[in-house]
Amino acid sequence: MSLTSYEEKRLQEIRNFEECLQDGFELYSTGKSAIEYHFGSNKLKQVFEAALSSDELRNECIDLADRLFFIIEKDISKHIKNQLEKGLTKDESKLFIRRVGVFWQIYELENVAGLMGEEMKSRMHRLLGEIDQSLLHFRDKAELKNLPTDLISSLESMSIYDRSSPIPQMNRMDLNDASIYKTECEENSEDKESADITNAVNSMLDDLLKGTVSSSEVEKLISLEIFLKSSDSIALSKRLISIWWSLMESNDVNVQKGALRILRFVLLSSRTRDDIVHQFHSLYLEKKILPAFTQSSILSEGNKEITALINNMGSHDEMQKNHEKANLVLCQFHWLALISPEDVVSSLLQRCFIDRRIVAPSVKLLSSLPSLSSLSSPPPSSLSSPSLSSPHCLIMNSLVSIARSADYSISEEREALVYLIGSLTRQKKNGSDNPVIETHKVFDFFVNDSIVSGNEDKLCVALSLLIRLFSTGETKHSVFNFSSSIGQLIDGEVDAPDLLLFLLELMGRTEQAGKINLFELIKKTVKQFGSKLREDKVVWEEETSSFILNKLSFHQWFVKVAVTQWFGSVLGEPKRQIPSGLLACLSRENTLLFDQIVVTFDFSPVECFLRSLYEVSVWDLPFALSFLDLGVTVRPLDDNMADKLSIAIVDVSSNVHSSHWQSLLPFLPLTQRLVNVLDVTIDCRLERMNGAIYHSIHNQRALNILARATKLAFVTNLEEEGRDNHWALLHLFCSVAKSYIDGEVESWRKFQKMKAKDAFNGVASLSMDSGMEKVSSTEYVLTQCSTLFPLAVSLTHIVPKVPPCLQVLLSSISTHLSEFYNRPFPHYLDTAPTGSVPDTTVYAYARGANPAAGDCGEEGGKRDNTATNKLFDMNGRDRSIGIARAINDPTMSAMIEKKLTVNEGEKKGGNSGHSGYSNSNNSSKKKNRNNRKK
C-alpha cells in the first residue's frame, strides 16, 4: 500500500513536534500554543489517528508516541523533584505548566486503538497522579489558569471520587485552593502533631467510658482544623466505632454529646471520610436501622443544620467561585450524612426538585461519598410498589417518594423530575467518575413502573426520562448494559430489542387513538434510542434483527425506512426498502443500495416520487435529503412542477393534525432542495428585472410553493369535511415565512452597520451575498418583502377570519416595509444639480401633447422625476396601501395601512434627499425668468 501525501504530512508534523519538545519548547508561552503551531486546530490524538490510517506507518507511530511520552515524563519528573527539594522559580513554574499541558495531549493517546501498550498506559496514569500531588502544593497559583479544562476536570474527579486517594477530601472545584508546599521538616512536625492529637483523643474516649468528660477539652479539640495521618485516623475511627454503643447507652447526655463531637472531629480530620461513613452506617445496619441524630434530643438543632446547609448552597458557578463556602458546605454535608443520612439525602433531593440551580453541586456532594449510593434502607411504608418490597438504595427511595408526590399534570414538575433523575445517572465519558445511582435501577423503578401503570402522564415522564438517558454527543452520558437478543438477560441489563418492539407497538396504538403529542414523543424516543445504541456500538444477533425487521413490515414503508436508518448498524445495516417511484429516478449503481417495494396497482411515477419524499421527510428528513444527494438521474418533466409539488404537500399533510403543525417543518428544507434539484420555475410578472430581483424571487420559490399548497388545501377541504390539514399548512407557512424574512432583514441591518463602519474607516464594503453573485443589499431585501407581502395578503381572501399567525406575519412584513420607505432616499445621477451659471441664453420647452405632463412655459416647466418602478420608489406606498386595503379583515387592513402611510410632515416637506434638489432647481428657474423679462 503506497502512502498518501496527507499521511506523510501528518507524520512529519509529529516528527517536528518531537524536535520542538527536545530543543525549542521554551519559545512558546503555553503548551496549547505549541500544539496549535504544529497541528493547527487538530489535537495530537487526531493527528496520530490520521497517520495510523496507513499500516506502513503504524510501527513508526508507536515509536513516536513512546518517545514523546519519555521526553515529557523526564521533564515533568525533573520539575517535580526540584519542587520537592528547593521549590520552583517563576520561570520554572511557567515551563512546568506548559509541560503538563502537552502531557495531557499525550495522555489522550491511550484512547487511540493499538497505539500504546498496557505498561505505557500504567506509567501515564502514575505520572498523572504525581502531577496531581504536585499541583496541590503549587506556589504560583496564577499559572494554574493555563491548564487544560479537561485536565482540571480529571484531577477534580480523582480527588473527589477516589476513596483510596491520599489527597485530603477537600473541595477541589478549582486547583487554586491548593495549599502551599511544605518541607520535609514541616511534614515530620505534622506527623508528631498528629500522633499527639491521637493520644489526646484516646484519653478523652477513656474519660467518656468512665463517665467523666471535660466539655472544655472537647470543645478545644473540635476547634482544631487539621488532617491526621491516615494510620492515626483509621485507628481512631475503629476504636470509636468499637465503643460506640457503650457510649450511646450511657445515661449521661453529656457523654453522648461528647461522643458526637469527637466523632465529628475524627471525620473531618480524616483524608478518607467515606470509609468512616461506611463503617459507621454498617454499625447501625447490623440492627437494621440507620442513624437519625437530627431527630433526637441529643442534637436539638439537627434539622436546622440541614436547612442551613441547603440554604447556604448556591448554583454551580457560585460554588466554583467561592471556594471557602464550597469547602464549608462539603464538610457540613459529610457530617450530616454521617449522623442522619435519610434526613439529609431526602431534604437535599427535595430541594433539588424545587430548585434546579443546586442540582449540579448536589450531585458533587453525593458523589463525594460513594458509600451513600450503595447504602440500603427499607422503603417507606407509604410506597406500595411491588418492586420496592425489599431494601433498596437510600437515594432511590428518596427519588421514588418525590416521584409519587409529584403532580404529573404540571409540566414544570415533570421536567424537574426528569432533570433530577437524569443528572444523578450521568457520568463522564472518560470513566473518571461514577454516577450517583446506576442507570438500570432507574430504568427498573421509573420506566417499567410507569409503563405498567397505564397512566398517560406517567408514561410521558418515562419517555422524557428515556430521551435524557439516551442523549448522546455530550461530555457526560448515562451508562447502559444493553442485551443483544430478546429475553436473554443478565443482572443489570436492559432488554433493548424488547424495548424497541414495545415502543413501536405503543406508537401504533397512540396514532390510531389520535394522541398526537404522545405519538411524537414516542417517535423522538425511538430515534434517540437508536442513536444511543449506535454510540455504544451495540449489534444485535442476526435472529433478533430479522425478527424486528419482520415486525417493522407491518408498519408504513416510511416508518420502516426511518427505523432502519436510526438503528442501521444495530440491525446489521439492512437495505432500505423504498417505493418504485423513488427507485426509478436513481442510476443503475445506486439502485443496488435499496430494495424495491412492489405494488399491484397503477400509479403515476412522478406522483409516487414526490409524495414518497414528503412522506419519509416527516419521519427522517436527513434520509430524504441524502437520497436526493445520490442524484436524480431520471428527472420528471418541468410541466407545472410547482403545482405537482403543492399537491404532494397537501396529500401528505392530510394525515397531520392541525394542532401539531410543527411535524410538517421538514417540508421547507425538502422543498428548497427539490426546487434546486429539479430546477422548478415560478411564474412571475414584473416591470423590470435585475440581479437583486432575480435572486430574491429565486430564494422564495419554496415559500411560494408552500403558499400554493395552503391555498389548495383550503379549497379542497371546503369540499371534503373532516380534514383540517389546511390550518396546519397555514401555520407552517406563516411560521417559516416570518422566520425567513426576519432573518433576511436582520442580515441587512448588520450589513448596513458594517458598511457605515467601513465608510467611516475608509474601507470599501462588498454587497451582501444573496446566492450566485453580489447584488445590492437594500434592493434585494426590499424585493423580498415586497413580493412576500402580496403573497401573504392573498391568503387572507381564502380564510374565514385572519388567524393570529397570519396577522403576525403581515404585521412583521409591513413593519419591515415601513422601515425601508421611511429611510432617506438615495441620490441618483439623474437628479444631480448641474452647477450651471445663469446667462442670457433662453431655453425653450415644447408643450407636451398630454396635459398631465405639466405646463413647460414660464410657469416652471415641471417634470416627473420619480422612478417608474412601483416596487422601489415612493409611489410604492400607493401600491402597498392598495394591497392592505384589499385584506378582508377591516381592523388588520387599517393597522397595516397606517404602518405603510407616510406622515403629514413627509407629504408636505418631501424627502430630504430629493427636496434639496427641487429647491435649488426652482431658485435657478426664477432667476432665468427674471433675466428673460429684463
Side-chain angles (χ1 to χ4, degrees):
M1 175 182 177
S2 60
L3 301 183
T4 64
S5 58
Y6 176 78
E7 295 163 344
E8 292 174 347
K9 185 178 179 181
R10 299 287 83 79
L11 188 64
Q12 186 60 41
E13 288 176 351
I14 300 174
R15 295 193 193 104
N16 295 339
F17 182 65
E18 179 189 10
E19 295 177 0
C20 168
L21 286 183
Q22 292 176 333
D23 299 324
F25 190 72
E26 293 80 3
L27 299 176
Y28 300 94
S29 58
T30 62
K32 181 180 179 182
S33 62
I35 295 290
E36 289 178 348
Y37 177 81
H38 287 85
F39 308 119
S41 60
N42 296 323
K43 290 187 175 182
L44 184 62
K45 174 185 173 182
Q46 295 171 327
V47 180
F48 265 99
E49 288 175 342
L52 282 171
S53 59
S54 171
D55 294 336
E56 295 182 13
L57 297 179
R58 178 169 297 275
N59 292 333
E60 187 172 357
C61 288
I62 294 174
D63 293 339
L64 275 172
D66 292 345
R67 291 202 301 269
L68 289 177
F69 174 69
F70 290 147
I71 294 171
I72 208 71
E73 180 188 36
K74 179 181 177 181
D75 290 336
I76 290 178
S77 299
K78 179 181 177 181
H79 280 87
I80 293 176
K81 183 179 179 181
N82 291 338
Q83 182 186 21
L84 294 174
E85 293 177 352
K86 57 182 180 180
L88 298 177
T89 64
K90 188 171 183 179
D91 291 338
E92 289 174 338
S93 298
K94 290 181 178 180
L95 187 57
F96 174 65
I97 294 298
R98 295 177 210 166
R99 298 282 185 183
V100 171
V102 174
F103 162 74
W104 184 247
Q105 293 271 347
I106 299 174
Y107 183 83
E108 291 181 335
L109 296 179
E110 69 169 351
N111 297 322
V112 179
L115 185 60
M116 288 190 165
E118 293 300 324
E119 181 181 355
M120 190 62 66
K121 292 180 181 179
S122 177
R123 292 180 63 174
M124 287 198 301
H125 294 166
R126 184 166 59 252
L127 182 59
L128 180 62
E130 293 175 1
I131 292 172
D132 186 35
Q133 293 285 345
S134 176
L135 292 175
L136 278 174
H137 310 299
F138 201 70
R139 291 179 183 273
D140 195 352
K141 297 181 180 180
E143 281 296 318
L144 294 175
K145 65 182 180 181
N146 294 323
L147 288 173
T149 306
D150 295 343
L151 172 60
I152 294 177
S153 302
S154 180
L155 295 180
E156 287 175 10
S157 61
M158 286 176 58
S159 298
I160 291 180
Y161 298 107
D162 188 2
R163 287 198 283 160
S164 61
S165 174
I167 301 173
Q169 291 289 337
M170 57 184 291
N171 176 42
R172 287 291 304 277
M173 293 182 181
D174 190 275
L175 293 175
N176 291 347
D177 271 350
S179 59
I180 62 172
Y181 165 75
K182 295 179 176 61
T183 64
E184 186 176 352
C185 295
E186 290 174 334
E187 290 179 354
N188 293 335
S189 175
E190 288 184 356
D191 291 346
K192 185 177 182 303
E193 185 181 8
S194 175
D196 294 340
I197 293 176
T198 302
N199 293 332
V201 173
N202 280 320
S203 299
M204 292 180 187
L205 291 177
D206 293 336
D207 293 340
L208 287 175
L209 288 173
K210 296 175 183 178
T212 59
V213 58
S214 174
S215 300
S216 60
E217 292 294 329
V218 174
E219 293 297 330
K220 182 179 178 182
L221 173 68
I222 63 175
S223 64
L224 296 176
E225 295 183 2
I226 185 176
F227 280 110
L228 299 178
K229 285 182 59 178
S230 297
S231 56
D232 294 338
S233 176
I234 293 173
L236 278 178
S237 62
K238 285 184 177 180
R239 190 190 176 199
L240 182 57
I241 290 174
S242 65
I243 63 174
W244 183 255
W245 292 122
S246 300
L247 298 174
M248 290 297 102
E249 291 171 358
S250 173
N251 296 326
D252 190 350
V253 177
N254 292 327
V255 172
Q256 297 176 351
K257 290 183 177 180
L260 283 175
R261 289 190 176 93
I262 293 175
L263 177 64
R264 179 187 177 99
F265 170 76
V266 172
L267 173 72
L268 299 182
S269 63
S270 173
R271 288 185 170 92
T272 55
R273 295 178 186 174
D274 189 59
D275 289 338
I276 297 177
V277 172
H278 177 68
Q279 294 171 13
F280 190 73
H281 290 165
S282 299
L283 179 68
Y284 276 80
L285 287 175
E286 291 176 357
K287 296 188 176 185
K288 297 183 179 181
I289 59 173
L290 285 175
F293 283 96
T294 55
Q295 300 176 7
S296 67
S297 58
I298 302 176
L299 287 179
S300 57
E301 303 293 326
N303 287 324
K304 292 182 179 179
E305 288 187 30
I306 295 178
T307 304
L309 166 70
I310 297 175
N311 292 336
N312 196 34
M313 290 180 61
S315 65
H316 179 68
D317 292 337
E318 294 172 359
M319 300 290 279
Q320 287 276 46
K321 295 175 182 178
N322 194 337
H323 310 299
E324 182 178 358
K325 176 181 177 180
N327 193 37
L328 291 175
V329 169
L330 185 71
C331 293
Q332 186 68 2
F333 172 75
H334 287 170
W335 164 241
L336 294 174
L338 175 72
I339 61 173
S340 192
E342 282 187 292
D343 291 341
V344 70
V345 168
S346 177
S347 301
L348 184 63
L349 293 181
Q350 284 283 357
R351 179 62 67 87
C352 289
F353 178 67
I354 299 172
D355 186 0
R356 183 180 294 192
R357 297 180 309 110
I358 69 169
V359 170
S362 298
V363 171
K364 272 189 171 292
L365 291 179
L366 293 170
S367 301
S368 65
L369 292 178
S371 61
L372 287 180
S373 300
S374 57
L375 182 60
S376 299
S377 67
S381 57
S382 60
L383 302 181
S384 58
S385 173
S387 60
L388 296 173
S389 58
S390 58
H392 285 286
C393 172
L394 170 65
I395 298 176
M396 182 61 65
N397 288 343
S398 299
L399 286 176
V400 173
S401 299
I402 294 173
R404 295 295 172 86
S405 62
D407 188 353
Y408 290 157
S409 62
I410 303 176
S411 61
E412 289 79 6
E413 294 198 11
R414 295 199 305 266
E415 294 172 0
L417 181 63
V418 169
Y419 181 78
L420 175 59
I421 298 175
S423 299
L424 293 173
T425 61
R426 297 171 74 78
Q427 67 180 83
K428 296 179 181 177
K429 288 188 175 181
N430 59 10
S432 59
D433 62 346
N434 294 313
V436 177
I437 50 178
E438 295 177 347
T439 311
H440 72 89
K441 293 181 180 179
V442 170
F443 187 86
D444 293 338
F445 291 152
F446 291 99
V447 178
N448 288 340
D449 185 62
S450 299
I451 291 174
V452 172
S453 67
N455 184 288
E456 186 171 331
D457 291 332
K458 287 187 176 182
L459 183 59
C460 289
V461 172
L463 293 173
S464 301
L465 179 58
L466 283 178
I467 292 173
R468 179 163 173 79
L469 295 178
F470 292 154
S471 61
T472 58
E474 302 176 9
T475 56
K476 289 188 174 183
H477 67 154
S478 300
V479 177
F480 282 90
N481 291 324
F482 293 110
S483 63
S484 58
S485 58
I486 299 177
Q488 300 178 5
L489 295 178
I490 60 176
D491 188 30
E493 274 192 343
V494 174
D495 194 342
D498 187 62
L499 176 60
L500 175 60
L501 291 174
F502 168 76
L503 291 174
L504 292 174
E505 180 185 355
L506 183 63
M507 186 166 54
R509 294 204 307 264
T510 53
E511 186 178 18
Q512 291 178 357
K515 300 176 181 179
I516 305 299
N517 292 329
L518 183 58
F519 170 77
E520 292 293 333
L521 187 60
I522 298 171
K523 186 170 72 171
K524 185 177 179 180
T525 306
V526 174
K527 184 176 182 179
Q528 196 64 48
F529 186 27
S531 299
K532 178 64 175 177
L533 291 174
R534 293 201 315 272
E535 184 184 69
D536 291 353
K537 295 181 174 55
V538 176
V539 178
W540 289 338
E541 295 180 359
E542 185 177 352
E543 183 179 357
T544 301
S545 299
S546 300
F547 179 77
I548 291 177
L549 290 173
N550 183 54
K551 286 289 185 180
L552 285 171
S553 300
F554 294 96
H555 295 266
Q556 296 275 17
W557 74 269
F558 45 83
V559 176
K560 185 174 182 179
V561 167
V563 173
T564 52
Q565 189 75 7
W566 298 337
F567 289 78
S569 59
V570 182
L571 293 169
E573 295 292 354
K575 284 187 177 182
R576 295 8 171 201
Q577 296 179 348
I578 59 176
S580 56
L582 290 178
L583 200 65
C585 74
L586 297 176
S587 63
R588 183 180 299 273
E589 294 79 11
N590 289 330
T591 55
L592 301 177
L593 303 175
F594 303 93
D595 285 337
Q596 179 179 349
I597 299 176
V598 181
V599 295
T600 58
F601 52 88
D602 294 333
F603 60 91
S604 167
V606 176
E607 179 184 350
C608 178
F609 169 74
L610 296 177
R611 179 165 181 164
S612 299
L613 283 175
Y614 281 105
E615 284 176 340
V616 76
S617 70
V618 175
W619 278 78
D620 192 6
L621 176 63
F623 174 80
L625 298 179
S626 62
F627 182 85
L628 291 175
D629 290 338
L630 294 175
V632 180
T633 305
V634 183
R635 304 165 60 88
L637 292 173
D638 188 10
D639 184 15
N640 300 323
M641 183 53 64
D643 294 332
K644 294 175 182 177
L645 287 170
S646 302
I647 294 173
I649 292 174
V650 173
D651 289 342
V652 175
S653 64
S654 61
N655 297 324
V656 178
H657 194 269
S658 62
S659 63
H660 212 82
W661 60 269
Q662 292 90 341
S663 60
L664 299 181
L665 285 174
F667 281 6
L668 178 63
L670 178 60
T671 305
Q672 290 173 331
R673 183 68 64 85
L674 280 171
V675 295
N676 290 327
V677 171
L678 303 179
D679 196 17
V680 178
T681 58
I682 300 294
D683 295 334
C684 59
R685 297 174 177 84
L686 295 174
E687 297 176 3
R688 69 185 182 115
M689 177 67 71
N690 61 13
I693 300 175
Y694 167 76
H695 287 297
S696 62
I697 296 175
H698 178 83
N699 293 341
Q700 282 190 9
R701 288 182 298 173
L703 290 176
N704 193 297
I705 290 173
L706 286 180
R708 292 189 184 196
T710 303
K711 296 176 185 178
L712 179 62
F714 268 92
V715 174
T716 304
N717 292 349
L718 290 177
E719 304 171 358
E720 301 180 15
E721 297 183 357
R723 299 175 63 180
D724 57 359
N725 60 317
H726 51 292
W727 292 112
L729 286 173
L730 180 61
H731 277 87
L732 173 67
F733 171 77
C734 293
S735 175
V736 298
K738 184 179 183 303
S739 299
Y740 173 78
I741 199 64
D742 288 348
E744 292 287 295
V745 173
E746 184 62 27
S747 299
W748 170 79
R749 290 172 182 158
K750 292 179 180 179
F751 175 73
Q752 293 300 318
K753 292 180 181 179
M754 180 183 66
K755 188 167 66 172
K757 181 179 178 181
D758 291 344
F760 179 78
N761 296 328
V763 180
S765 296
L766 294 176
S767 298
M768 292 176 63
D769 188 359
S770 64
M772 298 178 64
E773 62 181 18
K774 304 286 184 180
V775 298
S776 172
S777 63
T778 302
E779 192 170 9
Y780 167 73
V781 181
L782 179 55
T783 306
Q784 296 268 27
C785 296
S786 301
T787 54
L788 188 59
F789 186 72
L791 191 63
V793 169
S794 65
L795 294 175
T796 63
H797 301 296
I798 61 173
V799 295
K801 183 179 180 181
V802 181
C805 62
L806 187 54
Q807 291 183 21
V808 171
L809 174 61
L810 288 168
S811 176
S812 177
I813 302 176
S814 61
T815 301
H816 297 325
L817 285 171
S818 63
E819 179 181 355
F820 282 104
Y821 289 151
N822 292 330
R823 294 179 69 246
F825 228 66
H827 294 280
Y828 290 101
L829 182 62
D830 308 72
T831 58
T834 61
S836 61
V837 178
D839 54 18
T840 57
T841 305
V842 178
Y843 293 92
Y845 297 91
R847 182 185 299 275
N850 185 2
D855 192 355
C856 299
E858 292 184 350
E859 297 299 323
K862 297 179 182 178
R863 290 179 295 164
D864 186 7
N865 289 320
T866 57
T868 58
N869 191 326
K870 303 299 183 182
L871 283 176
F872 310 112
D873 61 3
M874 299 296 289
N875 289 338
R877 293 195 187 95
D878 300 333
R879 181 180 179 184
S880 300
I881 293 172
I883 293 175
R885 288 171 179 165
I887 298 177
N888 291 341
D889 193 312
T891 305
M892 194 68 196
S893 174
M895 185 269 291
I896 294 179
E897 182 180 342
K898 183 178 179 182
K899 285 187 177 184
L900 297 177
T901 305
V902 295
N903 55 43
E904 292 299 324
E906 289 179 326
K907 290 181 178 179
K908 293 179 180 180
N911 186 278
S912 59
H914 196 71
S915 61
Y917 163 71
S918 300
N919 292 337
S920 62
N921 197 24
N922 290 338
S923 62
S924 177
K925 290 178 180 179
K926 288 179 180 179
K927 291 180 180 179
N928 289 336
R929 286 198 299 271
N930 293 334
N931 291 334
R932 288 197 296 272
K933 289 177 180 179
K934 291 179 181 179

